[in-house]
Amino acid sequence: MSTGDRQGRWTLPPLAAGQRLDQPAFHARYEAMPPGTRAELIGGVVYMPSPLRDDHGWTSHVVSGWLFHYERFTPGVRGADNATTKLGRSGEPQPDSLLRIPEGAGGRSRVVVGFIVGTPELVVEVARSSRDVDLGPKRLDYERAGVLEHLFIGLDPNEVRWLALRGDRFEELPPGPDGLVRSEVFPGLWLDPAALFAGDLNALIDALERGLATPDHAAFVARLAGAGR
């Protein structure tokens, strides 16, 4: 990068919560901010998250492990944590976790210059203080962009809302009689909310293992393998 390029980056106005920007302007300013800055563009508005508590960090960590376990046995899908995701002109969030099908396997997102561009199939948000944002303007951004599933995990009070796109609106997926919530987009991705909130990691993974053992999951793996050839 030339000296002039560096100076151009340094002279960009800093990000501030509440600013209204489009995605290209937001992204350029975000890249020029000091290391460690966290910001998201939601509905064309800049949000700068507050510090995270231990329960948020632990829950996000566990959910990431749950998704990693699914990814491990589902070749062809790809997960990420806190990855910048360019949804469109008014949205550039960093979901706590996401799961997507790469473009080469029939998915709707791709990686361009190191950033996810397009619409991941599943986004996950863990929230305490940001509950109103995640279920408000951020949910609307995901809805508008065509995200197929949005898993919201709320803390204090604890709740799970697994939202699936129906037409152009999210509707909540109800749990089964066994209390498990099952993804429609990723067959075999089964979540036991009670185990998650109880910190029972064995039960959490046991429920997922049962999903991974289903014929639907095997058929999905075979379909991904065929699409990637």
Side-chain angles (χ1 to χ4, degrees):
M1 181 183 293
S2 69
T3 301
D5 290 337
R6 289 198 299 271
Q7 290 174 342
R9 287 166 61 93
W10 290 342
T11 57
L12 286 172
L15 288 176
Q19 288 175 324
R20 288 194 166 274
L21 298 171
D22 63 14
Q23 184 274 323
F26 168 81
H27 189 80
R29 294 191 194 185
Y30 195 6
E31 289 206 299
M33 291 290 285
T37 301
R38 295 182 67 242
E40 297 181 285
L41 185 69
I42 302 169
V45 177
V46 176
Y47 288 81
M48 304 187 78
S50 59
L52 300 179
R53 299 189 184 198
D54 173 73
D55 59 350
H56 184 291
W58 184 85
T59 303
S60 293
H61 169 70
V62 170
V63 170
S64 295
W66 170 72
L67 288 172
F68 173 78
H69 195 79
Y70 181 83
E71 183 179 355
R72 180 185 172 200
F73 293 100
T74 315
V77 304
R78 187 168 177 90
D81 293 341
N82 292 301
T84 290
T85 304
K86 299 181 180 183
L87 292 178
R89 296 289 297 184
S90 65
E92 187 176 306
Q94 290 182 216
D96 286 314
S97 296
L98 62 83
L99 198 62
R100 65 187 188 89
I101 301 171
E103 189 177 37
R108 292 129 35 92
S109 61
R110 62 197 185 280
V111 175
V112 179
V113 197
F115 297 104
I116 296 171
V117 176
T119 308
E121 281 69 24
L122 170 68
V123 295
V124 183
E125 298 289 356
V126 178
R128 175 194 283 271
S129 61
S130 64
R131 184 184 302 262
D132 289 345
V133 174
D134 288 346
L135 290 176
K138 186 179 281 191
R139 168 180 168 161
L140 289 175
D141 264 6
Y142 289 149
E143 207 171 51
R144 279 191 294 263
V147 170
L148 296 181
E149 292 186 344
H150 173 202
L151 173 56
F152 171 81
I153 299 171
L155 304 174
D156 190 26
N158 295 338
E159 65 173 326
V160 164
R161 297 188 188 181
W162 201 317
L163 307 172
L165 199 65
R166 300 280 187 263
D168 60 355
R169 291 289 183 269
F170 280 135
E171 293 182 8
E172 192 162 346
L173 291 176
D178 55 3
L180 305 185
V181 191
R182 294 163 170 83
S183 172
E184 295 180 343
V185 176
F186 293 98
L189 185 61
W190 293 8
L191 176 65
D192 184 339
L196 174 64
F197 292 128
D200 189 341
L201 304 186
N202 289 331
L204 183 74
I205 296 302
D206 180 68
L208 178 56
E209 291 279 4
R210 296 200 302 275
L212 293 171
T214 60
D216 284 349
H217 178 258
F220 181 55
V221 171
R223 188 162 70 249
L224 288 172
R229 288 176 185 158

